[in-house]
Amino acid sequence: MDKKKVAVPLVCHGHSRPVVDLFYSPVTPDGYFLISASKDSNPMLRNGETGDWIGTFQGHKGAVWSACLDTNALRAASGSADFSAKIWDALTGDVLHSFEHKHIVRACAFSEDTHMFLTGGFEKILRLYDLNRPDAAPREIDKSPGSVRTVTWLHSDQTILSSCTDMGGVRLWDVRTGEIVQTLETKSPVTSAEVSQDGRFITTTDGTSVKFWDANHFGLVKSYNMPCAVESASLEPNYGNKFVAGGEDMWVHVFDFFTGEEIACNKGHHGPVHCVRFAPTGESYASGSEDGTIRIWQLGPGNTDEQEAPIANAKLKVGANDVTRKIEGFQIPKDGQAEG
């Protein structure tokens, strides 16, 4: 009688190689969107709520390690092993800009105001591109002590956060001066770093640990040891009372933020989980795995086998008319196109 109801996710097929990064847009007038990065070199855009495929960005010639959307979900970006980062029109799939690098681009991020674009990778250089002047040379911050693994913006684009592939710690950079203003110390390399939706917390994973830091005073708020090596974690955006984590054991775990107690354990992936992210509404979260699939899990009481089973293992198919409808309904505001 006490048997837990099994969570059955929406399974999103389409990638032919491991899924290594996921990114949700904020909620826009047209809903919210999910972009995925994969070693198959083709980032994919989906409806964030249903998981329905919208489009594939084609043009990279190597594994794509990072993918993101701007605040309005009008542009996408990707960083690749082909030594380039690309900015895409998220409505048409066209390449707007391609920024050449001298080595693998491991991470990229749009600034919150959408005017700047940040990259990092094997060159140990953070590059800031002005998207209002994309042909201008980027500003380079070359003081990273190691190969860059993750990057993100915080403090209304006044601070940059980065972590390294080959050493512990998270570095916080003053955008104006290009100097490190704080280092959050960790024993192992930080594989995932996320700024909470309200800007209060930084969620990091290193080794078998999930840590939550005060994003303004930089103190360690919580640190929990996981049952295995974890690669990614995400904090529930509305109440901040739960977090999800995924890693080597192939499971997606849900924990209580305040106690660290495991609330749920979702099984279904057939390879290590490389990335987990909460949707901006907090109602669901997505996981990307070595098995090449994305799984979208519902948070809460609706998460039962009876409700979700009919579509759980169905390959998501979107007809041409559906895609046209989605793109037609995903309009650029009348006040003009996104600058670029």
Side-chain angles (χ1 to χ4, degrees):
M1 292 289 288
D2 294 339
K3 184 173 174 251
K4 277 188 180 177
K5 290 189 174 177
V6 179
V8 181
L10 290 164
V11 183
C12 306
H13 298 271
H15 286 298
S16 59
R17 298 284 314 281
V19 176
V20 291
D21 193 25
L22 296 169
F23 184 96
Y24 277 104
S25 76
V27 177
T28 76
D30 301 293
Y32 58 92
F33 300 87
L34 174 66
I35 191 170
S36 52
S38 167
K39 291 183 183 178
D40 67 9
S41 80
N42 297 316
M44 288 188 179
L45 184 67
R46 298 178 185 274
N47 178 309
E49 194 170 359
T50 64
D52 286 352
W53 175 84
I54 294 173
T56 299
F57 300 100
Q58 294 179 317
H60 278 298
K61 294 180 171 61
V64 173
W65 286 105
S66 178
C68 58
L69 294 159
D70 72 7
T71 308
N72 308 307
L74 296 177
R75 288 174 300 184
S78 51
S80 171
D82 66 8
F83 296 13
S84 79
K86 295 185 189 295
I87 307 282
W88 311 81
D89 184 317
L91 306 185
T92 65
D94 295 334
V95 176
L96 298 175
H97 313 291
S98 188
F99 300 122
E100 299 306 314
H101 292 63
K102 295 184 180 69
H103 213 312
I104 291 168
V105 183
R106 195 63 201 266
C108 63
F110 285 103
S111 61
E112 191 181 337
D113 69 10
T114 74
H115 296 311
M116 301 295 291
F117 177 62
L118 169 66
T119 66
F122 282 30
E123 286 182 81
K124 306 182 183 180
I125 296 170
L126 297 172
R127 286 187 173 87
L128 290 89
Y129 295 88
D130 183 344
L131 295 180
N132 297 318
R133 298 185 304 128
D135 297 328
R139 183 177 161 211
E140 296 187 353
I141 300 173
D142 59 2
K143 300 184 182 71
S144 177
S147 173
V148 177
R149 170 75 183 254
T150 66
V151 296
T152 190
W153 301 77
L154 66 163
H155 302 150
S156 302
D157 303 331
Q158 294 174 41
T159 308
I160 287 169
L161 177 157
S162 73
S163 72
C164 295
T165 309
D166 39 11
M167 64 182 67
V170 170
R171 276 147 281 280
L172 295 151
W173 307 77
D174 184 312
V175 172
R176 283 181 311 113
T177 64
E179 299 294 331
I180 296 173
V181 291
Q182 189 81 24
T183 300
L184 311 180
E185 299 291 350
T186 66
K187 285 182 183 172
S188 304
V190 169
T191 52
S192 168
E194 175 192 77
V195 179
S196 64
Q197 198 162 281
D198 61 9
R200 288 177 58 206
F201 296 107
I202 299 165
T203 304
T204 64
T205 53
D206 73 286
T208 58
S209 170
V210 177
K211 294 182 173 68
F212 300 92
W213 311 81
D214 185 313
N216 297 303
H217 303 290
F218 307 122
L220 182 61
V221 179
K222 300 274 187 188
S223 180
Y224 295 119
N225 282 320
M226 298 288 113
C228 71
V230 283
E231 206 168 323
S232 183
S234 183
L235 183 63
E236 193 281 327
N238 292 329
Y239 306 104
N241 57 353
K242 299 182 180 76
F243 68 94
V244 292
E248 278 184 2
D249 66 2
M250 302 188 274
W251 300 342
V252 181
H253 303 268
V254 186
F255 297 93
D256 183 293
F257 170 78
F258 299 104
T259 66
E261 182 184 351
E262 184 172 290
I263 299 166
C265 178
N266 298 317
K267 302 176 182 181
H269 281 299
H270 302 291
V273 176
H274 294 308
C275 188
V276 292
R277 286 293 177 258
F278 260 104
T281 58
E283 293 167 4
S284 62
Y285 48 95
S287 54
S289 165
E290 182 75 16
D291 66 16
T293 67
I294 300 161
R295 291 168 192 256
I296 298 176
W297 313 80
Q298 295 301 313
L299 187 70
N303 212 0
T304 65
D305 41 3
E306 292 87 4
Q307 279 194 327
E308 302 253 325
I311 48 172
N313 297 313
K315 190 163 181 177
L316 286 171
K317 291 177 183 163
V318 188
N321 291 340
D322 290 330
V323 173
T324 311
R325 254 205 319 281
K326 285 179 198 305
I327 292 173
E328 281 174 354
F330 188 13
Q331 294 295 329
I332 296 177
K334 289 198 174 96
D335 56 359
Q337 295 207 5
E339 291 177 286

